[in-house]
Amino acid sequence: MAEIGERTVTIAKQRFDLRRDAIERATRQLLPEPISSHYVVIGRRRYPPKQVIALATGLDRADFTSHQARRILMRLGFAVGRVPSTSVVSSDRLQVGESVRTDRIPSAASSRERRRELAEMLTALPGQWVAIKDDELLLAASTPNELVSWLSRHNRRADSMFRVPEDEIAAGGLAPL
Amino acid sequence: MRFPFKDIPDPGGAAVRPRPIVDVVVEGLELAPQACLLDSGASAVRMGAHVAELIGLDLSKAPSATIAVGGTTVEGRLAEVALAVSDGASGHQWTAPVWFCEPWRPAFGLLGLTGFFDRFEVTVASYEERIELTPIAP
Protein backbone atom coordinates (compact mmCIF):
# COMPACT_ATOMS: atom_id res chain seq x y z
CA MET A 1 0.00 0.00 0.00
CA ALA A 2 1.29 3.43 -0.93
CA GLU A 3 2.40 5.74 1.83
CA ILE A 4 0.52 8.93 2.52
CA GLY A 5 2.17 11.55 0.36
CA GLU A 6 2.83 9.12 -2.48
CA ARG A 7 0.29 7.75 -4.98
CA THR A 8 0.28 5.89 -8.21
CA VAL A 9 -2.60 7.17 -10.29
CA THR A 10 -3.97 6.51 -13.74
CA ILE A 11 -5.08 9.51 -15.71
CA ALA A 12 -6.03 9.41 -19.38
CA LYS A 13 -4.83 5.78 -19.50
CA GLN A 14 -1.36 6.73 -18.30
CA ARG A 15 0.19 5.81 -14.96
CA PHE A 16 1.94 8.41 -12.82
CA ASP A 17 3.80 8.12 -9.53
CA LEU A 18 3.00 11.34 -7.74
CA ARG A 19 4.72 12.48 -4.56
CA ARG A 20 3.55 15.24 -2.27
CA ASP A 21 7.07 16.61 -1.71
CA ALA A 22 7.78 16.68 -5.46
CA ILE A 23 4.60 18.67 -6.05
CA GLU A 24 5.54 21.08 -3.25
CA ARG A 25 8.94 21.62 -4.84
CA ALA A 26 7.53 22.02 -8.34
CA THR A 27 5.01 24.67 -7.26
CA ARG A 28 7.49 26.70 -5.22
CA GLN A 29 8.15 29.06 -8.15
CA LEU A 30 4.73 28.64 -9.75
CA LEU A 31 2.31 31.54 -9.53
CA PRO A 32 -1.28 30.43 -9.06
CA GLU A 33 -3.84 31.09 -11.74
CA PRO A 34 -7.16 32.66 -10.73
CA ILE A 35 -9.43 30.37 -8.75
CA SER A 36 -12.88 29.91 -10.27
CA SER A 37 -14.36 27.40 -7.82
CA HIS A 38 -12.12 24.79 -6.16
CA TYR A 39 -8.61 25.24 -4.91
CA VAL A 40 -5.80 23.27 -3.31
CA VAL A 41 -3.48 24.76 -0.72
CA ILE A 42 0.23 24.17 -1.38
CA GLY A 43 2.93 26.13 0.41
CA ARG A 44 0.44 28.70 1.73
CA ARG A 45 -0.87 29.44 -1.73
CA ARG A 46 -4.15 28.49 -3.36
CA TYR A 47 -3.95 26.88 -6.78
CA PRO A 48 -6.59 25.56 -9.17
CA PRO A 49 -6.28 21.76 -8.80
CA LYS A 50 -6.08 21.28 -12.57
CA GLN A 51 -3.13 23.64 -12.81
CA VAL A 52 -1.22 21.54 -10.30
CA ILE A 53 -2.04 18.17 -11.83
CA ALA A 54 -1.19 19.45 -15.31
CA LEU A 55 2.19 20.58 -13.98
CA ALA A 56 2.84 17.32 -12.14
CA THR A 57 1.90 15.05 -15.03
CA GLY A 58 2.60 17.13 -18.11
CA LEU A 59 -0.88 16.26 -19.36
CA ASP A 60 -3.19 18.64 -21.14
CA ARG A 61 -5.91 19.90 -18.83
CA ALA A 62 -8.55 18.55 -21.19
CA ASP A 63 -7.29 15.04 -20.36
CA PHE A 64 -8.75 15.03 -16.84
CA THR A 65 -11.51 16.61 -14.82
CA SER A 66 -11.35 19.02 -11.95
CA HIS A 67 -12.94 16.35 -9.78
CA GLN A 68 -10.14 13.88 -10.61
CA ALA A 69 -7.51 16.50 -9.85
CA ARG A 70 -9.06 17.33 -6.47
CA ARG A 71 -9.35 13.69 -5.48
CA ILE A 72 -5.71 12.96 -6.32
CA LEU A 73 -4.46 15.98 -4.43
CA MET A 74 -6.59 15.17 -1.41
CA ARG A 75 -5.17 11.66 -1.33
CA LEU A 76 -1.70 13.14 -1.37
CA GLY A 77 -2.66 15.00 1.78
CA PHE A 78 -3.26 18.49 0.44
CA ALA A 79 -6.13 20.59 1.73
CA VAL A 80 -8.74 21.22 -0.91
CA GLY A 81 -11.46 23.84 -0.62
CA ARG A 82 -14.03 25.79 -2.53
CA VAL A 83 -14.38 29.54 -2.75
CA PRO A 84 -17.74 30.94 -1.59
CA SER A 85 -20.32 31.14 -4.35
CA THR A 86 -20.48 34.44 -6.17
CA SER A 87 -22.58 35.99 -8.87
CA VAL A 88 -21.13 37.98 -11.68
CA VAL A 89 -22.77 41.31 -12.40
CA SER A 90 -21.88 43.88 -14.95
CA SER A 91 -21.01 47.35 -13.84
CA ASP A 92 -19.29 50.35 -15.29
CA ARG A 93 -16.93 50.22 -12.34
CA LEU A 94 -15.71 46.73 -13.07
CA GLN A 95 -13.20 45.50 -15.58
CA VAL A 96 -14.07 42.72 -17.97
CA GLY A 97 -14.07 39.39 -16.17
CA GLU A 98 -14.15 40.86 -12.71
CA SER A 99 -16.79 39.66 -10.30
CA VAL A 100 -18.35 40.98 -7.14
CA ARG A 101 -20.16 39.16 -4.39
CA THR A 102 -23.90 39.56 -4.59
CA ASP A 103 -24.96 36.52 -2.61
CA ARG A 104 -24.63 38.33 0.67
CA ILE A 105 -24.17 41.88 1.76
CA PRO A 106 -21.71 41.68 4.63
CA SER A 107 -22.70 43.36 7.85
CA ALA A 108 -20.12 45.53 9.60
CA ALA A 109 -19.45 42.66 12.00
CA SER A 110 -18.95 40.02 9.29
CA SER A 111 -16.84 42.45 7.29
CA ARG A 112 -14.64 42.98 10.35
CA GLU A 113 -14.45 39.22 10.84
CA ARG A 114 -13.31 38.74 7.25
CA ARG A 115 -10.65 41.41 7.68
CA ARG A 116 -9.39 39.63 10.80
CA GLU A 117 -9.32 36.30 8.99
CA LEU A 118 -7.32 37.88 6.20
CA ALA A 119 -4.89 39.43 8.66
CA GLU A 120 -4.37 36.06 10.32
CA MET A 121 -3.64 34.54 6.91
CA LEU A 122 -1.13 37.32 6.24
CA THR A 123 0.81 36.51 9.41
CA ALA A 124 2.21 33.50 7.54
CA LEU A 125 3.58 35.72 4.75
CA PRO A 126 6.05 38.20 6.26
CA GLY A 127 8.03 40.02 3.59
CA GLN A 128 5.78 38.81 0.77
CA TRP A 129 3.98 41.16 -1.59
CA VAL A 130 0.26 40.55 -1.50
CA ALA A 131 -2.72 41.53 -3.63
CA ILE A 132 -6.04 41.77 -1.81
CA LYS A 133 -9.53 41.74 -3.29
CA ASP A 134 -12.75 41.90 -1.25
CA ASP A 135 -10.80 41.12 1.93
CA GLU A 136 -9.44 37.94 0.37
CA LEU A 137 -5.89 37.14 -0.59
CA LEU A 138 -5.58 37.01 -4.38
CA LEU A 139 -1.86 36.32 -4.56
CA ALA A 140 1.36 36.43 -2.61
CA ALA A 141 4.57 36.97 -4.56
CA SER A 142 8.23 37.70 -3.89
CA THR A 143 8.35 40.98 -5.81
CA PRO A 144 5.90 43.77 -6.66
CA ASN A 145 6.63 43.30 -10.37
CA GLU A 146 5.70 39.64 -10.16
CA LEU A 147 2.44 40.57 -8.45
CA VAL A 148 1.40 43.24 -10.95
CA SER A 149 2.46 41.10 -13.87
CA TRP A 150 0.19 38.31 -12.61
CA LEU A 151 -2.75 40.69 -12.18
CA SER A 152 -2.25 42.03 -15.66
CA ARG A 153 -1.84 38.60 -17.24
CA HIS A 154 -5.02 37.31 -15.65
CA ASN A 155 -7.02 40.50 -16.15
CA ARG A 156 -7.59 40.81 -12.41
CA ARG A 157 -7.90 43.95 -10.39
CA ALA A 158 -6.86 44.09 -6.74
CA ASP A 159 -8.24 46.47 -4.14
CA SER A 160 -4.85 46.82 -2.55
CA MET A 161 -1.23 45.72 -2.78
CA PHE A 162 1.48 45.95 -0.14
CA ARG A 163 4.28 44.03 1.51
CA VAL A 164 3.38 42.15 4.67
CA PRO A 165 5.52 43.80 7.36
CA GLU A 166 8.45 41.63 8.36
CA ASP A 167 9.78 43.86 11.14
CA GLU A 168 8.96 46.95 13.18
CA ILE A 169 10.44 49.39 10.68
CA ALA A 170 8.33 47.93 7.92
CA ALA A 171 5.23 48.01 10.11
CA GLY A 172 5.79 51.30 11.83
CA GLY A 173 5.73 53.78 9.00
CA LEU A 174 8.43 55.80 10.69
CA ALA A 175 7.92 59.28 9.36
CA PRO A 176 10.61 60.75 7.19
CA LEU A 177 11.12 64.44 7.83
CA MET B 1 -15.36 59.11 1.51
CA ARG B 2 -15.18 56.59 4.33
CA PHE B 3 -12.65 53.83 4.70
CA PRO B 4 -12.32 51.17 7.39
CA PHE B 5 -8.91 50.68 8.97
CA LYS B 6 -6.94 47.77 7.56
CA ASP B 7 -5.97 44.92 9.85
CA ILE B 8 -2.26 44.32 9.42
CA PRO B 9 -0.40 41.58 11.27
CA ASP B 10 2.34 42.70 13.60
CA PRO B 11 5.79 41.39 12.74
CA GLY B 12 6.07 37.97 14.30
CA GLY B 13 2.36 37.42 13.87
CA ALA B 14 1.52 37.69 17.56
CA ALA B 15 -1.20 40.31 17.05
CA VAL B 16 -3.20 42.17 14.47
CA ARG B 17 -3.06 45.94 14.43
CA PRO B 18 -5.80 48.01 12.76
CA ARG B 19 -4.05 50.76 10.79
CA PRO B 20 -5.25 53.92 9.02
CA ILE B 21 -4.39 52.79 5.52
CA VAL B 22 -6.08 53.75 2.25
CA ASP B 23 -5.47 52.34 -1.21
CA VAL B 24 -4.19 54.86 -3.72
CA VAL B 25 -4.25 54.43 -7.47
CA VAL B 26 -1.00 55.89 -8.79
CA GLU B 27 -0.95 57.20 -12.37
CA GLY B 28 -4.01 55.16 -13.29
CA LEU B 29 -2.57 51.77 -12.29
CA GLU B 30 -6.04 50.61 -11.29
CA LEU B 31 -5.28 46.92 -11.20
CA ALA B 32 -2.97 47.42 -8.21
CA PRO B 33 -3.79 50.31 -5.88
CA GLN B 34 -0.96 50.96 -3.43
CA ALA B 35 -1.73 50.62 0.26
CA CYS B 36 -0.64 53.85 1.94
CA LEU B 37 -0.47 54.70 5.62
CA LEU B 38 -1.80 58.06 6.74
CA ASP B 39 1.21 59.66 8.40
CA SER B 40 0.72 63.22 9.60
CA GLY B 41 4.32 63.18 10.84
CA ALA B 42 5.64 62.90 7.29
CA SER B 43 6.18 66.14 5.44
CA ALA B 44 5.26 64.70 2.03
CA VAL B 45 3.95 61.68 0.17
CA ARG B 46 6.60 58.94 -0.06
CA MET B 47 6.58 55.61 -1.78
CA GLY B 48 9.07 52.96 -2.68
CA ALA B 49 10.91 53.40 -5.98
CA HIS B 50 9.31 50.13 -7.08
CA VAL B 51 6.04 52.04 -7.56
CA ALA B 52 7.71 54.33 -10.11
CA GLU B 53 8.95 51.23 -11.89
CA LEU B 54 5.47 49.68 -11.90
CA ILE B 55 3.98 52.77 -13.54
CA GLY B 56 6.87 53.16 -15.97
CA LEU B 57 8.04 56.49 -14.59
CA ASP B 58 11.54 57.52 -15.60
CA LEU B 59 13.15 59.21 -12.61
CA SER B 60 16.63 59.52 -14.04
CA LYS B 61 16.31 63.28 -14.47
CA ALA B 62 14.04 63.89 -11.47
CA PRO B 63 15.18 66.10 -8.59
CA SER B 64 16.72 64.02 -5.85
CA ALA B 65 17.40 64.34 -2.13
CA THR B 66 18.68 62.24 0.71
CA ILE B 67 15.92 61.61 3.23
CA ALA B 68 16.19 60.24 6.76
CA VAL B 69 13.72 57.42 7.42
CA GLY B 70 13.66 55.32 10.56
CA GLY B 71 17.26 55.93 11.56
CA THR B 72 18.69 55.42 8.10
CA THR B 73 18.91 57.47 4.92
CA VAL B 74 17.33 56.81 1.58
CA GLU B 75 17.62 58.40 -1.82
CA GLY B 76 14.38 60.06 -2.89
CA ARG B 77 13.41 61.26 -6.35
CA LEU B 78 10.57 63.68 -6.82
CA ALA B 79 7.84 63.52 -9.46
CA GLU B 80 4.40 64.99 -9.88
CA VAL B 81 1.94 62.13 -10.35
CA ALA B 82 -1.80 61.56 -10.51
CA LEU B 83 -3.24 59.93 -7.39
CA ALA B 84 -6.79 58.69 -6.84
CA VAL B 85 -8.78 57.22 -3.98
CA SER B 86 -12.25 55.73 -3.92
CA ASP B 87 -14.43 54.16 -1.27
CA GLY B 88 -16.61 52.46 -3.86
CA ALA B 89 -19.35 55.08 -3.66
CA SER B 90 -17.31 58.12 -4.60
CA GLY B 91 -13.77 58.97 -5.46
CA HIS B 92 -11.32 61.78 -5.92
CA GLN B 93 -8.32 62.30 -8.13
CA TRP B 94 -5.57 64.85 -7.70
CA THR B 95 -1.98 65.42 -8.66
CA ALA B 96 0.73 65.62 -6.04
CA PRO B 97 4.48 65.66 -5.67
CA VAL B 98 5.60 62.19 -4.59
CA TRP B 99 9.04 61.16 -3.39
CA PHE B 100 9.97 57.74 -4.72
CA CYS B 101 12.56 56.31 -2.36
CA GLU B 102 15.20 53.61 -2.56
CA PRO B 103 15.74 51.58 -0.46
CA TRP B 104 12.27 51.56 1.01
CA ARG B 105 11.75 49.61 4.23
CA PRO B 106 8.13 50.53 5.13
CA ALA B 107 5.59 47.99 3.93
CA PHE B 108 3.32 50.79 2.64
CA GLY B 109 3.46 54.16 1.01
CA LEU B 110 3.24 57.10 3.38
CA LEU B 111 0.69 59.87 2.89
CA GLY B 112 2.13 62.99 4.48
CA LEU B 113 1.36 66.67 4.74
CA THR B 114 2.21 68.03 1.28
CA GLY B 115 0.22 66.25 -1.36
CA PHE B 116 -2.27 64.57 0.95
CA PHE B 117 -3.16 66.27 4.22
CA ASP B 118 -3.22 69.61 2.41
CA ARG B 119 -5.69 68.19 -0.12
CA PHE B 120 -8.25 66.60 2.21
CA GLU B 121 -10.01 67.28 5.43
CA VAL B 122 -9.01 64.11 7.24
CA THR B 123 -10.77 62.41 10.14
CA VAL B 124 -9.09 59.42 11.75
CA ALA B 125 -11.63 57.90 14.15
CA SER B 126 -9.39 55.35 15.77
CA TYR B 127 -12.06 54.22 18.25
CA GLU B 128 -14.29 53.26 15.31
CA GLU B 129 -11.39 52.14 13.13
CA ARG B 130 -12.42 54.37 10.25
CA ILE B 131 -11.08 57.22 8.14
CA GLU B 132 -13.08 60.00 6.51
CA LEU B 133 -11.66 62.04 3.66
CA THR B 134 -13.29 65.16 2.30
CA PRO B 135 -11.49 66.75 -0.64
CA ILE B 136 -10.63 70.39 -0.16
CA ALA B 137 -11.77 72.56 -3.05
CA PRO B 138 -8.74 73.98 -4.88
Side-chain angles (χ1 to χ4, degrees):
Chain A
M1 188 174 170
E3 289 179 29
I4 293 175
E6 185 177 351
R7 291 274 163 184
T8 300
V9 298
T10 303
I11 312 172
K13 298 179 183 172
Q14 295 182 54
R15 283 169 67 86
F16 298 93
D17 293 317
L18 298 180
R19 294 179 57 92
R20 180 189 167 99
D21 55 357
I23 289 177
E24 285 172 336
R25 273 197 306 276
T27 52
R28 210 163 281 163
Q29 301 298 324
L30 179 71
L31 288 178
E33 293 173 3
I35 310 288
S36 55
S37 58
H38 293 87
Y39 62 85
V40 57
V41 181
I42 305 175
R44 296 173 180 161
R45 284 174 167 173
R46 291 175 173 189
Y47 293 87
K50 288 188 83 168
Q51 182 188 9
V52 175
I53 292 299
L55 174 79
T57 61
L59 288 173
D60 190 284
R61 294 179 201 197
D63 292 338
F64 56 92
T65 65
S66 176
H67 178 73
Q68 273 179 299
R70 290 200 308 276
R71 200 175 54 187
I72 292 165
L73 292 164
M74 282 168 69
R75 287 179 177 175
L76 285 167
F78 293 110
V80 172
R82 182 177 193 158
V83 292
S85 61
T86 58
S87 304
V88 176
V89 296
S90 61
S91 162
D92 291 344
R93 295 183 49 78
L94 298 175
Q95 289 184 332
V96 175
E98 192 169 8
S99 65
V100 294
R101 293 171 182 284
T102 55
D103 53 337
R104 58 193 166 118
I105 303 297
S107 64
S110 72
S111 170
R112 194 172 303 122
E113 192 177 313
R114 283 172 60 189
R115 295 205 314 267
R116 292 286 155 139
E117 282 173 9
L118 170 65
E120 281 167 19
M121 189 181 291
L122 296 181
T123 59
L125 300 167
Q128 290 277 298
W129 290 87
V130 293
I132 308 298
K133 175 76 178 171
D134 295 333
D135 293 327
E136 289 189 0
L137 179 63
L138 272 183
L139 179 71
S142 322
T143 68
N145 298 54
E146 198 177 28
L147 197 77
V148 171
S149 164
W150 184 91
L151 290 168
S152 182
R153 217 167 42 244
H154 295 290
N155 196 24
R156 299 297 295 264
R157 186 167 163 176
D159 294 332
S160 182
M161 72 168 273
F162 57 91
R163 196 177 78 248
V164 180
E166 67 275 39
D167 57 31
E168 278 301 327
I169 292 177
L174 293 168
L177 298 174
Chain B
M1 290 172 283
R2 292 167 70 113
F3 304 86
F5 276 26
K6 280 190 191 297
D7 291 333
I8 302 295
D10 271 346
V16 168
R17 215 186 314 181
R19 312 292 302 279
I21 288 171
V22 296
D23 299 311
V24 179
V25 172
V26 184
E27 286 285 296
L29 188 68
E30 293 184 342
L31 81 172
Q34 304 296 314
C36 293
L37 182 70
L38 272 61
D39 189 347
S40 60
S43 59
V45 178
R46 325 253 179 190
M47 296 181 183
H50 67 274
V51 179
E53 190 182 331
L54 291 176
I55 59 176
L57 194 61
D58 179 11
L59 295 173
S60 58
K61 292 178 183 164
S64 66
T66 300
I67 303 163
V69 189
T72 185
T73 56
V74 300
E75 190 69 18
R77 288 188 175 268
L78 184 65
E80 188 92 0
V81 294
L83 304 176
V85 290
S86 170
D87 65 357
S90 61
H92 181 69
Q93 183 172 318
W94 73 107
T95 57
V98 174
W99 287 93
F100 294 97
C101 304
E102 179 79 62
W104 185 247
R105 292 288 307 284
F108 323 100
L110 299 178
L111 297 173
L113 296 175
T114 301
F116 182 74
F117 280 89
D118 60 355
R119 308 300 175 89
F120 293 91
E121 190 176 303
V122 180
T123 302
V124 178
S126 190
Y127 56 98
E128 291 180 348
E129 297 181 5
R130 71 174 161 80
I131 301 157
E132 278 189 32
L133 302 180
T134 306
I136 295 168

